């Protein structure tokens, strides 16, 4: 009898220990830390880690790996995270093509995925999943927001430009969806193009009254510098991807005057944002970008849900995520039925900052409570 | 009509920039028989050095001089350490070794300066645009690039036809062993020619860096075009490099602009844009294939 009791006690103790171990939460972050566009991944990571550190929770373990902007590598890293490290939550991917390679398989296997950036239309629509949450935006949001803003501002003949690849054509389609008017022309450039003399000449020869472009990364830097010296005098509009703080520093004075849509601005007036911007500058000695803000929000959403449930209790944790019960740096934030954000799209203008360097200043709201157009295709 | 003329000037500007790259590449191949894939790295080195020195001194012209000097010095160093061992090896070994150099330069630059692009703008006196005869407004800086390209072409012509160094370069092109036997320090000649090629690439990188963005891997797309140029022009021929560069620059620019318009006549705008830009991207390669079909050694084949 005594023996039995001690065995029972031992069993109890081991289960108790297992319970303590299960308390720990493992988050696997796959993001782009090297190669082209790595400043996006670095900012998502830094914003995310800032929120984790501030939460003071030492039971949250974040594992970080670099996908080098390669879909195959991202896929094998996600398998490693799920099978070897048994992570509860995956996050971090920057690029839509990498997200498409990783997310559907991961959520099917019962892992949560929270996107801090990429928002391809398929994942918002027909391939949506109860374990997939997008904390950033659906890809069309910022372009559509600018379309609505330009129509409202009375521009009648915009000319559009984007690289000839899926996100480029999607960007222009998203713009036209909310612009709802005629556009003068659509110019498609090559991916990675560096010389835009030919396109600028076409813009000059057209009778457009404004320019909207989507040229992420280095492409936008090259274009804006050449645009400034071309003597073409049209107002310039774009999405925040071409005007984040890192990019406009490289573009220099050429960026001044450009209007861009974003879901966040560093001078957005709310308490969570003041704390974020100050903390980020203190910790990393640079201005945060929208990517850092998205990473910060993603981590805070996770922490808010962890207060209520552990990811191993999937239904409770999912419900807690849906509530989005956290102080977003965007001021207000809620999820639509496809677990993508319903949020305000802001307009920012690039102005000369106090130190003479260009910086973004909040101008107003382009569209309130924008929702993607794919949620009706989502059956959860 | 002004659109066509503006695009023609754009093509000319791309062409002169390609000439700066291609002339160095073709010189090195002509004199030493070496295929140098790392030529694009000197382009990047020139741009980075110019950006850094311009930021430190505040003067673009000091930066430009430094960019050329640094590219030449790095070129000479690479020749002494690596390239020298490759002259007697087969072309495949040269390709392998110089490809390794690309990786070393790219990752090394990323390691030191990070992946974010550096900041380099044209000097204030060369920014903005001027009105050309006929009412066309054109950026001053692009006109300057054309002028520099023309000046380099004229300079190269005099260097090769009128100077002792040029005589040796021509001699090296026709018979490598003979000029060694005549008592010319061939090792020094090779280092000099290689450094000169690197300096021209550095000049191109510095000029274009101010127009585009200074970043890791900026040299590789240009290198591919430069190879197309020297294959079209005839490998080893400076004259071929000049004509090839202008041909490629003009055809590429005009194709990109006018092909989508051409397809729009019988397609929807978005389809026409897709098909047109896809064919425009292939156009110079189609042209290269066509030229090689009739002139397998290029337009101005060197005496091989």
């Amino acid at each position: 009898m005594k023996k039995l009791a001690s065995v029972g006690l031992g069993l109890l103790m081991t289960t108790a220990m297992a319970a303590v171990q299960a308390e720990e939460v493992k988050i696997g972050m796959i993001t782009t830390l090297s190669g082209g566009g790595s400043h996006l991944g670095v900012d998502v990571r830094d914003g995310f880690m800032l929120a984790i550190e501030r939460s003071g929770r030492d039971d949250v373990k974040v594992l970080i790996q670099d996908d080098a902007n390669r879909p195959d590598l991202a896929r094998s890293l996600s398998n490693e995270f799920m099978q070897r490290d048994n992570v509860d939550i995956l996050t971090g991917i920057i690029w839509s093509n990498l997200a498409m390679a990783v997310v559907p398989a991961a959520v099917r296997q019962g892992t949560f995925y929270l996107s801090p950036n990429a928002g391809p239309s398929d994942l918002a629509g027909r391939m949506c999943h109860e374990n997939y949450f997008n904390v950033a935006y659906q890809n069309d949001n910022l372009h559509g927001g600018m379309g609505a803003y330009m129509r409202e501002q009375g521009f009648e003949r915009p000319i559009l430009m984007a690289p000839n690849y899926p996100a480029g054509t999607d960007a222009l389609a998203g713009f036209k969806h909310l612009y709802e008017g005629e556009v003068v022309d659509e110019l498609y450039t090559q991916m990675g193009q560096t010389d835009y003399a030919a396109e600028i000449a076409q813009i000059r020869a057209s009778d457009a009254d404004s320019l909207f472009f989507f040229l992420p990364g280095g492409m936008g830097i090259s274009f804006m510098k050449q645009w400034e010296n071309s003597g073409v005098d049209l107002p310039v509009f774009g999405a925040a991807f071409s005007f984040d703080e890192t990019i406009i520093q490289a573009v220099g004075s050429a960026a001044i005057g450009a209007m861009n849509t974003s879901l966040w601005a560093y001078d957005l007036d709310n308490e969570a944002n003041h704390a974020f911007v100050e903390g980020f500058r203190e910790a990393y000695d640079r201005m945060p970008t929208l990517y850092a803000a998205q990473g910060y929000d993603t981590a805070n959403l996770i922490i808010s849900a962890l207060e209520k449930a552990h990811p191993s209790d999937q239904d409770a944790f999912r419900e807690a995520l849906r509530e989005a019960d956290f102080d977003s740096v965007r001021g207000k934030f809620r999820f639509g039925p496809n677990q993508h954000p319903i949020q305000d799209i802001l307009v920012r203008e690039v102005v000369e900052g106090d130190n003479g360097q260009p910086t973004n200043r909040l101008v107003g709201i382009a569209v309130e409570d924008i929702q993607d157009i794919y949620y009706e295709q989502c059956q959860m | 009509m002004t659109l066509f003329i503006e695009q023609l000037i754009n093509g000319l500007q791309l062409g002169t920039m390609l000439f700066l790259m291609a002339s160095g590449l073709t010189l090195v191949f002509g004199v030493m028989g070496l295929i140098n894939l790392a030529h694009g790295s000197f382009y990047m080195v020139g741009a980075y050095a110019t950006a850094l020195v311009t930021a430190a001194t505040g003067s673009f012209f000091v930066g430009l001089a430094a960019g050329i000097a640094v590219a030449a010095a790095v070129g000479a160093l690479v020749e002494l350490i690596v390239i020298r061992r490759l002259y007697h090896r087969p072309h495949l070994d040269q390709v392998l070794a110089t490809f390794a150099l690309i990786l070393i330069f790219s990752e090394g630059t990323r390691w030191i300066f990070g992946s974010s692009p550096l900041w380099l703008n044209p000097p204030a006196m060369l920014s903005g645009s001027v009105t050309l005869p006929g009412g066309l407004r054109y950026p001053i800086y692009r006109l300057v690039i054309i002028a520099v390209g023309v000046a380099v072409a004229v300079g190269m012509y005099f260097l090769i036809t009128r100077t002792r160094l040029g005589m040796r370069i021509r001699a090296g092109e026709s018979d490598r062993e003979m000029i060694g036997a005549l008592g010319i320090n061939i090792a020094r000649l090779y280092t000099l020619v290689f450094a000169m090629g690197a300096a021209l690439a550095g000049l191109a990188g510095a000029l274009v860096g101010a127009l585009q963005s200074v970043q890791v891997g900026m040299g590789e797309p240009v290198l591919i075009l430069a190879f197309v140029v020297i294959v079209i022009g005839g490998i080893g021929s400076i004259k071929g490099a000049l004509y090839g560069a202008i041909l490629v620059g003009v055809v590429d620019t005009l194709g990109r602009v006018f092909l989508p318009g051409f397809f729009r006549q019988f397609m929807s705008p978005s389809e026409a844009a897709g098909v047109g830009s896809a064919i425009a991207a292939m156009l110079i390669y189609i042209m290269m294939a066509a030229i090689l079909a009739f002139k397998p050694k290029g337009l101005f084949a060197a005496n091989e």
Side-chain angles (χ1 to χ4, degrees), chain A residues 58-78:
Chain A
D58 48 13
D59 58 337
V60 178
K61 200 172 157 199
V62 184
L63 310 166
I64 302 172
Q65 290 283 3
D66 173 19
D67 61 33
N69 198 352
R70 276 170 43 200
D72 54 325
L73 184 57
R75 182 69 189 262
S76 68
L77 286 172
S78 73

Side-chain angles (χ1 to χ4, degrees), chain A residues 34-146:
Chain A
S34 66
S38 58
H39 80 265
L40 285 69
V42 170
D43 275 5
V44 162
R45 177 194 67 190
D46 290 351
F48 192 92
M49 293 315 289
L50 180 67
I52 296 287
E53 275 160 34
R54 286 189 158 184
S55 73
R57 289 185 70 129
D58 48 13
D59 58 337
V60 178
K61 200 172 157 199
V62 184
L63 310 166
I64 302 172
Q65 290 283 3
D66 173 19
D67 61 33
N69 198 352
R70 276 170 43 200
D72 54 325
L73 184 57
R75 182 69 189 262
S76 68
L77 286 172
S78 73
N79 287 337
E80 246 173 62
F81 272 149
M82 287 187 291
Q83 283 154 18
R84 196 189 59 197
D85 302 314
N86 284 316
V87 298
D88 305 287
I89 302 165
L90 281 172
T91 185
I93 294 175
I94 301 295
W95 309 98
S96 293
N97 52 337
L98 273 68
M100 290 306 291
V102 168
V103 173
V107 292
R108 255 201 319 274
Q109 291 173 44
T111 311
F112 283 98
Y113 185 89
L114 281 83
S115 175
N117 194 55
S121 52
D122 276 345
L123 293 180
R126 57 185 187 88
M127 289 169 76
C128 69
H129 193 277
E130 56 180 5
N131 282 352
Y132 172 73
F133 287 81
N134 187 312
V135 197
Y137 51 79
Q138 200 284 312
N139 282 356
D140 294 358
N141 284 172
L142 299 192
H143 308 294
M146 190 44 96

Side-chain angles (χ1 to χ4, degrees), chain B residues 262-297:
Chain B
F262 169 72
F263 283 105
R264 195 166 302 183
Q265 317 217 326
F266 40 86
M267 278 184 195
S268 75
S270 63
E271 271 179 7
V275 174
S277 49
I279 293 184
M282 290 185 269
L283 198 61
I284 56 165
Y285 303 102
I286 296 172
M287 181 177 77
M288 177 169 79
I291 288 175
L292 290 185
F294 294 102
K295 290 207 151 201
K297 288 191 160 184

Side-chain angles (χ1 to χ4, degrees), chain A residues 307-327:
Chain A
E307 302 287 337
K308 297 172 186 166
H310 187 275
S312 57
D313 182 359
Q314 288 226 340
D315 291 331
F317 186 69
R318 187 180 306 119
E319 209 40 58
L321 283 175
R322 278 185 189 143
E323 285 167 19
D325 185 13
F326 71 106
D327 290 328

Side-chain angles (χ1 to χ4, degrees), chain A residues 35 38 164 185 188 190 193-195 197-199 201-202 204-205 218 221-222 225-226 229-231 246 249-252, chain B residues 3 6-7 10 13 110 115 117 119-122 127-129 137 139 142 209-213 256-257 264 273 277 281:
Chain A
S38 58
N164 193 15
D185 204 354
Y188 288 96
Q190 287 173 41
Q193 186 172 322
T194 51
D195 197 329
E199 285 77 13
Q202 279 173 287
R204 191 201 311 271
I221 300 177
S222 303
K225 284 167 71 173
Q226 293 163 33
N229 284 325
S230 68
T246 310
Q249 299 298 323
V251 171
Chain B
L3 178 65
E6 181 173 1
Q7 300 294 16
N10 285 337
Q13 183 259 306
R110 197 193 310 284
S115 314
W119 199 79
L120 178 66
N121 269 357
S127 353
S129 52
R137 287 191 73 74
R142 285 184 190 272
L211 203 58
Q212 302 175 357
S213 59
R256 252 173 38 209
V257 179
R264 195 166 302 183
S277 49

Side-chain angles (χ1 to χ4, degrees), chain A residues 275-297:
Chain A
F276 162 64
V277 174
E278 233 163 79
F280 191 93
R281 293 185 72 161
E282 207 168 285
Y284 305 109
D285 198 27
R286 63 175 196 271
M287 283 301 281
T289 61
L290 78 158
Y291 311 109
Q294 290 160 191
Y296 187 80
D297 268 2

